[in-house]
Amino acid sequence: MRKGRGWFITGFLIAPIVLYVVYVLLPYGATALFSVTDFDGLNPDWKIVGFENFGNLLDDEVFLRAIGHNVVVLTIFPIITILIALFFAFMLNVGGRSDKAGVRGVFGSSIYKFIFFFPQVMSIAIVAVIWRRVLQSNDGGMLNALLMKLGLVEQNDPELFLADPTPAFGTPQIHIGSMTLDIPVVLVCLIAIAVWGSVGFYLVLFSAAMQSIPKDIFEAATLDGATRVQSFYKVTLPLLRDHVSVAWVYLGIAALDFYALVIGLTPDPGGGGPNHASEVMSSVMMSNVLRPSRYDAFAYACATGISIAIITLLFAALQFRVTRSRDKIEF
Amino acid sequence: MSSNDKQASPDPAKGLVANAFSHTFLIVWGLLVTVPLIWATIQSFKTDQEIIHSPLGLPAEWRLDAFGRAWTKGHIGEFFFNTLVVLTGGVTLTMLLGSMAAYVLARYPFRGNRVVYWIFVAGLTMPIYLGMMPLYLTVGKVGEVTGLESVIGRGTYGGLILVYVAYSMPFTIFFLHAFFRTLPTTIAEAASVDGAGHVRTFFQVMLPMAKPGMIGIGIFNVIGQWNQFILPTVLMKQGDPKVLTQGLLELAAEARYETDFARLFAGMTLAMLPILAVYLVFHRQVQSGLTGATTK
């Protein structure tokens, strides 16, 4: 063994560890600590108040409605994204002409991948600027102008899109105690934008997985008389199960977050508008600090953050349990 | 799509329907992705009157003056500069410190190695906004305690860079740790026999061997830190240097009161160009890097 091994290890690890502890772990720890205090962010004379902040959260109608919105996103966003991505991945890889060499992918699949993936590398700020203008709530917005041209929307009655807090497609508003479950138009718009941005990523993920499936499996299926649709359901999907599970977990975590889209695209300071119709858990947390309605807003926001973290971790753990693959197929 | 498929003689009738069907759907989605981007880009060449009264039309004259206004009056030039400074410092430090830590954790067994590794990786499971409120106080405190308020204190480039680096550590270490483990041990041993120390072995032997991994995670960090907007929004306040994402969002918010839409669209177009250029050149690496990382 060479000399100075201990010094080398210490020397290489010290800076990363110090940075990580100071800027990541300590703030997380501080959030946890302040969540049980009445700290206002400035006054150092705070005291421990126990779980009072968490108790208040259970009566906070805005937060409870935000949880409902996250649940809506969680049920709609992952499944739509995965279905579209799987569909396109299948098109790209086995949707082309078939010949003696078997079924092949469509022409120009790397161009499609290039285009579909692009929203993934754009910053949320650019996505926000574009979609705010596309969905603008008057005849100056791209979509409204287009719909008016097609005669689907009246000139003097434009669609409000991101400014529309009313339920989408006549969905009911369900009240359970002080909790509201609703699907406002603005939330549907946000989900659509999220799907728009995510499909390319999961398409590339599934497509790579499909390419790693040996061609002879498909050829064997074709020889046995399977149609394209059959081979998709009976061969491709089962072999992609692990990738779909991973996608499910990632999209689920993204659905419980959704912060960037809400803050970038929706009205009201700190996002979440109009009238809390697009509020999700994380935007409630951040706007609690920006719009203090109580003196200990800082501590209250910390308690909100800890609650979100617990919910997210529970979800992730649950998902991993449910989707954990039982038997791994090697090829 | 492989080239040796070409030798097989195609059967034109079979699968032609499936082919047309596939292309129809793929083209529709392609339009859904590109039309908003192209529309928004075209708006930056119009006058405000054209933007308001004929949102779907092409400009009567392709004007470039909105780009100038965005660069100077919209401060896009300044935001670009700030972003470049932060990105250069952030990515360089992230790669240096991340590879050092990943290397030691991957190849030097010592008591507590696994604990340190898992504490870093645990950071991947936490949503970034969770620590945001105390982080603002922390950055101020670090400046005070070290006496370097003007270098790494609140509202400085240095402070923001260190925060970027810290939040990039978990994924960088996780990714490179896996990479360093796969490198053969014999070459490092040979270097050691030849009298190279630990530090020299790392910088002159191991790091060059890890180049593919470094490029992958490097692209990931460039895109991630270029697009980062939660950290700067929380840490950089009025009067502090602003990065592009933050500046653009503020420009968008201002556009509600001030009517210079062309400037906003031009600013957006300018901000989109560098990432488009990087993506055009590296799209294969970007795609496989970002998705491959997910399934590790």
Side-chain angles (χ1 to χ4, degrees):
Chain A
M1 190 167 291
R2 284 172 288 179
K3 274 185 290 180
R5 189 173 176 275
W7 285 111
F8 170 70
I9 293 174
T10 320
F12 263 36
L13 280 179
I14 190 90
I17 289 181
V18 167
L19 279 182
Y20 184 64
V21 168
V22 169
Y23 290 114
V24 182
L25 292 188
L26 279 183
Y28 283 165
T31 305
L33 170 68
F34 289 136
S35 69
V36 292
T37 66
D38 63 353
F39 187 46
D40 63 1
L42 293 169
N43 188 353
D45 294 325
W46 45 266
K47 62 178 189 301
I48 305 257
V49 295
F51 291 97
E52 198 182 289
N53 294 323
F54 291 90
N56 292 340
L57 271 179
L58 294 176
D59 301 323
D60 187 329
E61 284 180 13
V62 173
F63 184 65
L64 293 177
R65 191 171 168 208
I67 294 183
H69 291 157
N70 275 113
V71 170
V72 169
V73 177
L74 189 61
T75 24
I76 304 176
F77 168 53
I79 185 129
I80 292 185
T81 308
I82 288 177
L83 285 180
I84 298 179
L86 267 181
F87 179 71
F88 284 143
F90 187 69
M91 299 271 120
L92 286 185
N93 290 293
V94 278
R97 294 176 305 162
S98 49
D99 52 34
K100 276 185 196 148
V103 173
R104 53 158 83 176
V106 297
F107 173 75
S109 74
S110 61
I111 299 170
Y112 285 123
K113 273 192 234 170
F114 176 84
I115 293 172
F116 290 11
F117 194 86
F118 185 57
Q120 191 70 32
V121 296
M122 276 194 301
S123 84
I124 196 73
I126 293 177
V127 172
V129 169
I130 293 175
W131 280 99
R132 272 185 179 190
R133 295 298 154 193
V134 169
L135 297 179
Q136 198 169 292
S137 56
N138 59 33
D139 56 3
M142 186 190 99
L143 198 53
N144 264 320
L146 208 63
L147 291 172
M148 283 168 190
K149 204 153 228 172
L150 295 172
L152 295 171
V153 166
E154 293 292 319
Q155 195 77 35
N156 49 14
D157 184 27
E159 289 289 331
L160 293 176
F161 296 118
L162 294 169
D164 193 346
T166 58
F169 312 118
T171 46
Q173 233 182 13
I174 303 165
H175 296 275
I176 311 162
S178 45
M179 184 169 175
T180 311
L181 201 59
D182 64 341
I183 312 179
V185 172
V186 50
L187 195 65
V188 174
C189 291
L190 291 181
I191 295 175
I193 296 168
V195 171
W196 174 84
S198 314
V199 160
F201 180 86
Y202 291 96
L203 160 75
V204 171
L205 182 76
F206 294 149
S207 186
M210 281 185 192
Q211 269 158 16
S212 72
I213 300 173
K215 278 258 185 287
D216 37 330
I217 298 187
F218 287 109
E219 279 160 22
T222 315
L223 280 179
D224 288 344
T227 64
R228 270 167 216 258
V229 178
Q230 277 173 331
S231 70
F232 177 68
Y233 281 108
K234 300 271 166 68
V235 179
T236 316
L237 266 192
L239 290 175
L240 283 188
R241 197 180 56 204
D242 281 355
H243 288 88
V244 175
S245 314
V246 168
W248 205 275
V249 173
Y250 274 83
L251 284 164
I253 291 172
L256 289 176
D257 182 338
F258 236 58
Y259 174 70
L261 275 180
V262 171
I263 196 145
L265 278 147
T266 59
D268 287 4
N275 199 14
H276 299 304
S278 64
E279 208 87 69
V280 291
M281 294 188 293
S282 48
S283 71
V284 173
M285 176 188 123
M286 291 307 263
S287 47
N288 273 350
V289 193
L290 294 171
R291 291 180 284 200
S293 51
R294 45 193 279 175
Y295 80 95
D296 60 347
F298 190 94
Y300 189 54
C302 287
T304 317
I306 294 298
S307 310
I308 302 170
I310 293 170
I311 293 173
T312 310
L313 284 180
L314 280 180
F315 166 80
L318 192 76
Q319 284 292 304
F320 272 120
R321 268 198 85 80
V322 172
T323 59
R324 197 175 45 188
S325 62
R326 283 135 290 190
D327 45 346
K328 221 174 164 61
I329 301 157
E330 303 275 351
F331 41 72
Chain B
M1 289 309 289
S2 60
S3 54
N4 54 356
D5 279 3
K6 281 191 188 125
Q7 277 136 16
S9 62
D11 177 0
K14 237 180 165 185
L16 214 61
V17 179
N19 201 21
F21 179 78
S22 308
H23 278 295
T24 312
F25 277 99
L26 290 165
I27 288 170
V28 166
W29 190 267
L31 288 175
L32 279 177
V33 171
T34 48
V35 166
L37 305 183
I38 294 168
W39 175 78
T41 309
I42 291 175
Q43 305 299 305
S44 31
F45 297 96
K46 292 180 172 178
T47 63
D48 269 351
Q49 284 306 309
E50 286 172 325
I51 290 174
I52 294 165
H53 295 298
S54 100
L56 298 180
L58 290 175
E61 182 194 344
W62 293 75
R63 310 161 69 91
L64 294 170
D65 51 320
F67 290 94
R69 288 203 304 280
W71 191 261
T72 51
K73 234 180 120 214
H75 304 287
I76 293 289
E78 191 189 314
F79 300 151
F80 251 109
F81 176 76
N82 295 335
T83 310
L84 274 182
V85 171
V86 175
L87 196 69
T88 311
V91 173
T92 312
L93 258 185
T94 302
M95 299 303 288
L96 181 69
L97 297 182
S99 61
M100 281 160 54
Y103 175 67
V104 168
L105 292 173
R107 316 221 27 152
Y108 288 78
F110 60 91
R111 192 189 292 267
N113 180 313
R114 299 306 287 166
V115 176
V116 174
Y117 174 71
W118 281 113
I119 288 176
F120 272 119
V121 173
L124 286 174
T125 61
M126 289 286 145
I128 194 166
Y129 49 80
L130 187 55
M132 281 311 106
M133 290 154 300
L135 183 66
Y136 182 69
L137 304 176
T138 306
V139 174
K141 200 92 187 158
V142 169
E144 257 172 57
V145 170
T146 55
L148 297 168
E149 268 159 323
S150 56
V151 188
I152 56 169
R154 205 179 282 156
T156 59
Y157 291 129
L160 195 59
I161 288 173
L162 291 184
V163 171
Y164 274 24
V165 174
Y167 280 86
S168 304
M169 275 302 118
F171 192 70
T172 308
I173 291 177
F174 173 68
F175 187 92
L176 287 176
H177 183 268
F179 208 86
F180 278 121
R181 284 195 92 100
T182 61
L183 294 183
T185 51
T186 46
I187 296 173
E189 279 160 13
S192 160
V193 170
D194 287 347
H198 296 282
V199 178
R200 240 186 101 187
T201 308
F202 172 69
F203 282 108
Q204 298 195 337
V205 180
M206 300 307 277
L207 213 48
M209 275 165 64
K211 206 171 148 196
M214 293 292 282
I215 291 175
I217 192 71
I219 293 172
F220 181 88
N221 281 321
V222 167
I223 293 177
Q225 294 189 10
W226 176 272
N227 287 343
Q228 179 57 255
F229 92 107
I230 296 180
L231 291 171
T233 317
V234 170
L235 294 174
M236 309 306 256
K237 297 296 177 198
Q238 207 62 47
D240 295 336
K242 291 195 173 77
V243 298
L244 205 48
T245 43
Q246 187 185 6
L248 207 56
L249 279 177
E250 280 173 23
L251 207 60
E254 267 172 37
R256 264 179 268 170
Y257 316 107
E258 225 184 300
T259 47
D260 192 349
F261 295 118
R263 187 182 79 185
L264 172 66
F265 283 114
M268 182 231 66
T269 309
L270 287 172
M272 194 163 62
L273 284 178
I275 210 82
L276 181 63
V278 169
Y279 184 57
L280 267 171
V281 178
F282 294 109
H283 64 103
R284 259 174 227 292
Q285 289 91 329
V286 170
Q287 286 176 6
S288 60
L290 292 190
T291 53
T294 316
T295 43
K296 276 253 157 60

